[in-house]
Amino acid sequence: MLSQWVIHIPFVNRREKGYEDRMTLSDIQRLLGELDTHPTRSLGQNFLHDQNLARSIVALLDIQPGDHIVEIGPGLGALTEFLDIPETRLTLIEKDSRLIPHLRSKFEHGTNSVFHADALDFDLRELWGHGPVKVIGNLPYYISTPLIAKYASALSPASALVLTLQLELAQRLGAAHDTSDYGAMTLCTGRRWDIRLERKLPASVFFPRPKVDSAVITLRRKPRARVRAIDDSIFESLVRRGFSERRKQLRNMLPEFKNDWEKITAALGVPPTIRAEQLSPAQWESLAFTASPATAQHGAERFDVVDEEDRVLRSEFRDVIHVNNLRHRAVHMLLFNAAGDLYLQKRSIWKDRNPGLWDSSAAGHVDSGEDYPTAARRELQEELGIEAPPLLPLTRLTPTESNGWEFIQAYHARHEGPFQPATMEVETGAFFSVSKIRHWAASNPADFSPVFLKILEHIPSTSTAS
Ligand code: SAM
């Protein structure tokens, strides 16, 4: 386990400009006195007073100009001092009202903002649209696990997280397989994130001293090519059941494989008596694949090829149409709720076109022999699991290179959700206000599918379009 720890404390020049202003133990005690407050155990308040460490922890974020840095629980600002740098945007989320005036007076300038909020309730949709997001936090131990689940979820825009955690939790997250720390959390978080244990922190670097040691970990989002295309919900269900009684043999925990267990374990190259912790992450993914082989992209589907007047000429395979830039048909559906917010879906990272980008509520090709309204209803059922509400035409786009040579019929409709997005098709989805989407699209157009950006131009700015 020790070999996994990476120790590096960057050189710190004590005469560097501004260094003298940064937080020491006596500064913390003085500041607490000035704020007429004291550390509260129920808020997990242990303030870092080692400036070298604060600086080296922040260095792990690899901050670049244009980054949007989000700090969870800034406290008195030990890390924040090093995060508040030009050409970045800083968002601070602190639950303790007593610390808010200090944080506002010191850090709320330019595009920075300080939220007096519980980070568990914070609306992640606020974080989209301001550049690449990096999250940092010396987390309150009592809610570290749900905070990680939230800020590493599909709705989180974070590309990297640098977190200080209770040592035990950090070891579980970064555990190697076939160790006692390896478990459901290691596997479920590690599926989408590269997790690295960076360094241990002794209790003595905090005021007041916690009863446990801490550790810093980094999570960096895995590139698409390294995330195997399997259904995450099936993977998680198998893993959680497999580890629910970790001393038991896996075959007793996963009855659905009972009849084929010998064959499956032979294919994985493991004995049939295997237990959950003995399967590597890649073997767990293979098991999940066995449970539900991922549907290959639909190269064998057939669509109608149409002329410049949208008249059907013949039908062709999807791949033939795309390779030869033949005109064909597609539908986009925009669902607005009663508040006028628009449901956007984030396309699956395994889509062959526009993977991982934000798009209309649902969208898809018109199948051969189908008409536009039938395709719209089918896609709403397949992608969002809903019966189509009454659909109204919104706009129609003619084929161009940038929209993939598609005639696109866009519809709008009223729907309040909830939706059951198809896991292999859709990463996540959420309602956003149209004004938020417009600002976001203006500042970060690369987050959206090119067709959605065109459709957005046709949504009336003053109406809900529904
Ligand atoms: N970052 C500071 C440092 O390193 O010295 C403070 C770290 S302290 C371990 C945890 C901080 O999280 C405290 O400031 C505490 O008030 C704040 N906190 C506790 N629960 C929180 C929550 N649910 N949402 C946001 N902040 C929270």
Side-chain angles (χ1 to χ4, degrees), residues 43-48 71 73-75 78 93-96 117-119 138 140 142-143:
L43 283 171
Q45 289 184 337
N46 304 99
F47 299 110
L48 181 66
E71 187 183 0
I93 309 168
E94 172 58 59
K95 186 172 179 182
D96 188 347
D118 185 325
N138 174 3
Y142 73 109
I143 47 164

mmCIF file of all heavy atoms in Angstrom, residues 43-48 71 73-75 78 93-96 117-119 138 140 142-143, ligand 1:
data_model
loop_
_atom_site.group_PDB
_atom_site.id
_atom_site.type_symbol
_atom_site.label_atom_id
_atom_site.label_comp_id
_atom_site.label_asym_id
_atom_site.label_seq_id
_atom_site.Cartn_x
_atom_site.Cartn_y
_atom_site.Cartn_z
ATOM 1 N N LEU A 43 -19.418 20.541 12.384
ATOM 2 C CA LEU A 43 -19.197 20.975 10.993
ATOM 3 C C LEU A 43 -17.869 20.430 10.452
ATOM 4 O O LEU A 43 -17.418 20.821 9.383
ATOM 5 C CB LEU A 43 -19.192 22.493 10.898
ATOM 6 C CG LEU A 43 -20.566 23.177 10.955
ATOM 7 C CD1 LEU A 43 -20.409 24.694 11.067
ATOM 8 C CD2 LEU A 43 -21.378 22.826 9.711
ATOM 9 N N GLY A 44 -17.246 19.566 11.219
ATOM 10 C CA GLY A 44 -15.977 18.968 10.776
ATOM 11 C C GLY A 44 -14.892 20.018 10.625
ATOM 12 O O GLY A 44 -14.062 19.932 9.717
ATOM 13 N N GLN A 45 -14.872 21.007 11.534
ATOM 14 C CA GLN A 45 -13.927 22.118 11.359
ATOM 15 C C GLN A 45 -12.565 21.819 11.978
ATOM 16 O O GLN A 45 -12.378 21.886 13.195
ATOM 17 C CB GLN A 45 -14.534 23.401 11.929
ATOM 18 C CG GLN A 45 -15.684 23.895 11.063
ATOM 19 C CD GLN A 45 -16.273 25.201 11.516
ATOM 20 O OE1 GLN A 45 -16.149 25.566 12.685
ATOM 21 N NE2 GLN A 45 -16.922 25.911 10.616
ATOM 22 N N ASN A 46 -11.629 21.469 11.122
ATOM 23 C CA ASN A 46 -10.227 21.327 11.493
ATOM 24 C C ASN A 46 -9.464 22.141 10.458
ATOM 25 O O ASN A 46 -9.436 21.771 9.286
ATOM 26 C CB ASN A 46 -9.796 19.858 11.446
ATOM 27 C CG ASN A 46 -10.670 18.978 12.325
ATOM 28 O OD1 ASN A 46 -11.581 18.320 11.833
ATOM 29 N ND2 ASN A 46 -10.430 18.984 13.613
ATOM 30 N N PHE A 47 -8.910 23.259 10.911
ATOM 31 C CA PHE A 47 -8.324 24.206 9.951
ATOM 32 C C PHE A 47 -6.847 23.894 9.717
ATOM 33 O O PHE A 47 -6.088 23.687 10.673
ATOM 34 C CB PHE A 47 -8.514 25.638 10.469
ATOM 35 C CG PHE A 47 -9.969 26.005 10.630
ATOM 36 C CD1 PHE A 47 -10.530 26.181 11.893
ATOM 37 C CD2 PHE A 47 -10.790 26.161 9.518
ATOM 38 C CE1 PHE A 47 -11.865 26.504 12.035
ATOM 39 C CE2 PHE A 47 -12.133 26.481 9.654
ATOM 40 C CZ PHE A 47 -12.676 26.649 10.917
ATOM 41 N N LEU A 48 -6.476 23.902 8.452
ATOM 42 C CA LEU A 48 -5.093 23.600 8.076
ATOM 43 C C LEU A 48 -4.210 24.804 8.392
ATOM 44 O O LEU A 48 -4.533 25.923 8.008
ATOM 45 C CB LEU A 48 -5.059 23.303 6.564
ATOM 46 C CG LEU A 48 -3.728 22.931 5.948
ATOM 47 C CD1 LEU A 48 -3.233 21.582 6.478
ATOM 48 C CD2 LEU A 48 -3.863 22.857 4.423
ATOM 49 N N GLU A 71 -14.246 25.536 -4.474
ATOM 50 C CA GLU A 71 -13.748 25.006 -3.204
ATOM 51 C C GLU A 71 -14.927 24.680 -2.286
ATOM 52 O O GLU A 71 -15.791 25.524 -2.034
ATOM 53 C CB GLU A 71 -12.793 25.986 -2.494
ATOM 54 C CG GLU A 71 -12.179 25.291 -1.269
ATOM 55 C CD GLU A 71 -11.250 26.157 -0.418
ATOM 56 O OE1 GLU A 71 -11.038 27.344 -0.753
ATOM 57 O OE2 GLU A 71 -10.766 25.631 0.607
ATOM 58 N N GLY A 73 -16.119 24.023 1.376
ATOM 59 C CA GLY A 73 -15.708 24.248 2.762
ATOM 60 C C GLY A 73 -14.413 25.019 2.886
ATOM 61 O O GLY A 73 -13.427 24.506 3.428
ATOM 62 N N PRO A 74 -14.365 26.269 2.418
ATOM 63 C CA PRO A 74 -13.102 27.044 2.482
ATOM 64 C C PRO A 74 -12.686 27.416 3.903
ATOM 65 O O PRO A 74 -11.513 27.719 4.126
ATOM 66 C CB PRO A 74 -13.414 28.296 1.649
ATOM 67 C CG PRO A 74 -14.906 28.408 1.645
ATOM 68 C CD PRO A 74 -15.430 27.004 1.707
ATOM 69 N N GLY A 75 -13.626 27.392 4.842
ATOM 70 C CA GLY A 75 -13.274 27.689 6.241
ATOM 71 C C GLY A 75 -12.730 29.093 6.379
ATOM 72 O O GLY A 75 -13.357 30.074 5.975
ATOM 73 N N ALA A 78 -7.488 28.760 4.221
ATOM 74 C CA ALA A 78 -6.104 28.259 4.149
ATOM 75 C C ALA A 78 -5.718 27.859 2.723
ATOM 76 O O ALA A 78 -4.628 28.210 2.251
ATOM 77 C CB ALA A 78 -5.939 27.063 5.085
ATOM 78 N N ILE A 93 -18.008 27.449 -1.462
ATOM 79 C CA ILE A 93 -19.276 26.964 -0.894
ATOM 80 C C ILE A 93 -19.028 26.623 0.570
ATOM 81 O O ILE A 93 -18.334 25.637 0.872
ATOM 82 C CB ILE A 93 -19.788 25.710 -1.645
ATOM 83 C CG1 ILE A 93 -19.821 25.949 -3.159
ATOM 84 C CG2 ILE A 93 -21.171 25.315 -1.134
ATOM 85 C CD1 ILE A 93 -20.039 24.685 -3.994
ATOM 86 N N GLU A 94 -19.542 27.448 1.457
ATOM 87 C CA GLU A 94 -19.266 27.275 2.891
ATOM 88 C C GLU A 94 -20.594 27.267 3.659
ATOM 89 O O GLU A 94 -21.438 28.131 3.459
ATOM 90 C CB GLU A 94 -18.349 28.406 3.387
ATOM 91 C CG GLU A 94 -18.124 28.468 4.880
ATOM 92 C CD GLU A 94 -17.537 27.190 5.485
ATOM 93 O OE1 GLU A 94 -16.444 26.770 5.081
ATOM 94 O OE2 GLU A 94 -18.216 26.602 6.364
ATOM 95 N N LYS A 95 -20.725 26.297 4.561
ATOM 96 C CA LYS A 95 -21.978 26.142 5.305
ATOM 97 C C LYS A 95 -22.048 27.033 6.545
ATOM 98 O O LYS A 95 -23.135 27.419 6.985
ATOM 99 C CB LYS A 95 -22.126 24.670 5.719
ATOM 100 C CG LYS A 95 -23.453 24.354 6.361
ATOM 101 C CD LYS A 95 -23.594 22.865 6.565
ATOM 102 C CE LYS A 95 -24.929 22.551 7.241
ATOM 103 N NZ LYS A 95 -25.080 21.121 7.492
ATOM 104 N N ASP A 96 -20.900 27.361 7.118
ATOM 105 C CA ASP A 96 -20.890 28.078 8.397
ATOM 106 C C ASP A 96 -21.094 29.579 8.168
ATOM 107 O O ASP A 96 -20.197 30.269 7.668
ATOM 108 C CB ASP A 96 -19.550 27.816 9.101
ATOM 109 C CG ASP A 96 -19.528 28.367 10.515
ATOM 110 O OD1 ASP A 96 -20.442 29.154 10.870
ATOM 111 O OD2 ASP A 96 -18.605 28.018 11.268
ATOM 112 N N ALA A 117 -23.895 28.019 1.700
ATOM 113 C CA ALA A 117 -24.750 26.888 1.336
ATOM 114 C C ALA A 117 -24.143 25.596 1.846
ATOM 115 O O ALA A 117 -22.939 25.509 2.124
ATOM 116 C CB ALA A 117 -24.877 26.800 -0.190
ATOM 117 N N ASP A 118 -25.005 24.604 1.938
ATOM 118 C CA ASP A 118 -24.553 23.243 2.213
ATOM 119 C C ASP A 118 -24.101 22.656 0.879
ATOM 120 O O ASP A 118 -24.888 22.592 -0.070
ATOM 121 C CB ASP A 118 -25.724 22.445 2.796
ATOM 122 C CG ASP A 118 -25.311 21.042 3.222
ATOM 123 O OD1 ASP A 118 -24.441 20.445 2.553
ATOM 124 O OD2 ASP A 118 -25.869 20.548 4.210
ATOM 125 N N ALA A 119 -22.852 22.230 0.805
ATOM 126 C CA ALA A 119 -22.317 21.732 -0.480
ATOM 127 C C ALA A 119 -23.079 20.506 -0.969
ATOM 128 O O ALA A 119 -23.066 20.206 -2.164
ATOM 129 C CB ALA A 119 -20.827 21.415 -0.344
ATOM 130 N N ASN A 138 -10.822 20.513 1.513
ATOM 131 C CA ASN A 138 -10.389 19.790 2.686
ATOM 132 C C ASN A 138 -11.708 19.442 3.360
ATOM 133 O O ASN A 138 -12.276 20.252 4.082
ATOM 134 C CB ASN A 138 -9.495 20.726 3.492
ATOM 135 C CG ASN A 138 -9.099 20.139 4.810
ATOM 136 O OD1 ASN A 138 -9.441 19.008 5.126
ATOM 137 N ND2 ASN A 138 -8.401 20.938 5.597
ATOM 138 N N PRO A 140 -15.145 18.207 5.166
ATOM 139 C CA PRO A 140 -15.617 17.792 6.491
ATOM 140 C C PRO A 140 -15.830 16.282 6.466
ATOM 141 O O PRO A 140 -16.524 15.771 5.590
ATOM 142 C CB PRO A 140 -16.948 18.545 6.645
ATOM 143 C CG PRO A 140 -17.336 19.006 5.286
ATOM 144 C CD PRO A 140 -16.101 19.057 4.447
ATOM 145 N N TYR A 142 -17.508 14.187 8.105
ATOM 146 C CA TYR A 142 -18.812 13.550 8.351
ATOM 147 C C TYR A 142 -19.653 13.399 7.082
ATOM 148 O O TYR A 142 -20.607 12.629 7.075
ATOM 149 C CB TYR A 142 -19.591 14.324 9.431
ATOM 150 C CG TYR A 142 -20.163 15.660 8.992
ATOM 151 C CD1 TYR A 142 -21.535 15.831 8.815
ATOM 152 C CD2 TYR A 142 -19.343 16.765 8.758
ATOM 153 C CE1 TYR A 142 -22.067 17.048 8.410
ATOM 154 C CE2 TYR A 142 -19.863 17.976 8.356
ATOM 155 C CZ TYR A 142 -21.221 18.115 8.181
ATOM 156 O OH TYR A 142 -21.745 19.309 7.772
ATOM 157 N N ILE A 143 -19.305 14.122 6.011
ATOM 158 C CA ILE A 143 -20.085 13.970 4.772
ATOM 159 C C ILE A 143 -19.188 13.762 3.540
ATOM 160 O O ILE A 143 -19.605 14.017 2.412
ATOM 161 C CB ILE A 143 -21.021 15.181 4.512
ATOM 162 C CG1 ILE A 143 -20.254 16.482 4.703
ATOM 163 C CG2 ILE A 143 -22.271 15.102 5.344
ATOM 164 C CD1 ILE A 143 -20.972 17.664 4.102
HETATM 165 N N1 SAM B 1 -10.599 24.478 3.913
HETATM 166 C C1 SAM B 1 -10.395 24.875 5.285
HETATM 167 C C2 SAM B 1 -9.002 24.471 5.724
HETATM 168 O O1 SAM B 1 -8.401 23.638 5.032
HETATM 169 O O2 SAM B 1 -8.527 24.963 6.752
HETATM 170 C C3 SAM B 1 -11.446 24.294 6.208
HETATM 171 C C4 SAM B 1 -11.531 22.797 6.204
HETATM 172 S S1 SAM B 1 -12.573 22.119 7.452
HETATM 173 C C5 SAM B 1 -11.952 20.468 7.553
HETATM 174 C C6 SAM B 1 -14.127 21.826 6.666
HETATM 175 C C7 SAM B 1 -14.879 23.072 6.248
HETATM 176 O O3 SAM B 1 -16.110 22.661 5.626
HETATM 177 C C8 SAM B 1 -15.303 23.990 7.375
HETATM 178 O O4 SAM B 1 -15.076 25.312 7.015
HETATM 179 C C9 SAM B 1 -16.794 23.737 7.550
HETATM 180 O O5 SAM B 1 -17.503 24.828 8.079
HETATM 181 C C10 SAM B 1 -17.177 23.446 6.122
HETATM 182 N N2 SAM B 1 -18.388 22.605 6.007
HETATM 183 C C11 SAM B 1 -18.863 21.673 6.840
HETATM 184 N N3 SAM B 1 -19.957 21.100 6.345
HETATM 185 C C12 SAM B 1 -20.181 21.683 5.148
HETATM 186 C C13 SAM B 1 -21.179 21.535 4.148
HETATM 187 N N4 SAM B 1 -22.163 20.633 4.283
HETATM 188 N N5 SAM B 1 -21.129 22.326 3.058
HETATM 189 C C14 SAM B 1 -20.138 23.243 2.907
HETATM 190 N N6 SAM B 1 -19.179 23.436 3.828
HETATM 191 C C15 SAM B 1 -19.186 22.666 4.929
#
